[in-house]
Amino acid sequence: HPFKTFRLPNKGCIVLQDFQTHAKDIMEPKIREWFPPGLIAHQETNSVGAIVKYRLRNGSTIDVKSHEQDLKVFEGSDYDWVWFDEPPPEAIFKALWRGLTDRRGIAWFTGTPLTEPWLYDVYMKAVAEDNKGMYWAIFSSIHDNAKNLGEGSVEEGEKRISEFLETLDDDEREAREK
């Protein structure tokens, strides 16, 4: 994480919308791209073949959970960090937030806030308190990922983003662009 250093080994959790598409088709290829070769010592899969646990050579573990799962699976574990890739239902967030307290862990979100309106209140509280409370809000521009979208070229990435935005109606464009 760019704003916090974690002890090693650590225990993390990635929370995705679903196992079939989000885990298998999106997250697993990214993990293979981001992790150095040989870092993953072992991985466990579920009934649809999605990876649900990574055990790393440095002793760290990463659980992978889905919004589709019963709320009970989010309760009871302690984590150093939780990454929500797309906003979760509020009950899942609260269950995992409790799991961060023992280790003074942090959670962060990536995604487009098209669903889960409760998050707006959390963000606005952080902004109103000038990031001095329990929640911090760090907003990024839609163009912050332009280099990756343009396969190394910021200009190509910005062009792709602009072309995409032109296909949207005004309401959806505002939600995705801001």
Side-chain angles (χ1 to χ4, degrees), residues 22-166:
H22 231 93
K24 289 174 69 175
D25 298 343
I26 298 170
M27 185 55 55
E28 290 175 21
K30 286 295 183 186
I31 294 289
R32 285 191 297 274
E33 177 185 333
W34 294 336
F35 282 22
L39 179 61
I40 299 171
H42 178 74
Q43 49 197 33
E44 297 171 19
T45 58
N46 65 10
S47 61
V48 297
I51 299 170
V52 294
K53 184 178 281 288
Y54 292 94
R55 295 186 191 283
L56 307 182
R57 297 223 181 274
N58 64 14
S60 298
T61 60
I62 302 170
D63 293 333
V64 181
K65 299 181 185 278
S66 161
H67 298 182
E68 304 166 312
Q69 292 178 281
D70 189 277
L71 186 59
K72 292 176 189 173
V73 305
F74 298 93
E75 297 283 358
S77 290
D78 295 334
Y79 290 107
D80 294 296
W81 57 268
V82 176
W83 171 19
F84 296 97
D85 187 31
E86 298 300 338
E90 187 173 13
I92 290 174
F93 171 75
K94 286 182 177 178
L96 287 170
W97 186 258
R98 197 269 345 131
L100 292 166
T101 57
D102 289 354
R103 297 176 183 231
R104 297 190 50 80
I106 68 166
W108 66 92
F109 299 84
T110 55
T112 306
L114 298 176
T115 61
E116 303 304 332
W118 65 271
L119 268 176
Y120 180 80
D121 295 333
V122 171
Y123 288 145
M124 290 302 101
K125 180 178 179 169
V127 170
E129 294 178 0
D130 197 27
N131 285 331
K132 293 183 179 144
M134 186 167 62
Y135 302 113
W136 285 61
I138 301 168
F139 299 94
S140 61
S141 162
I142 192 172
H143 296 283
D144 286 351
N145 200 26
K147 183 175 181 181
N148 292 332
L149 296 173
E151 297 175 14
S153 166
V154 173
E155 295 80 18
E156 181 63 27
E158 288 178 348
K159 179 181 171 197
R160 289 180 185 178
I161 291 168
S162 295
E163 290 170 350
F164 169 72
L165 291 173
E166 289 171 11

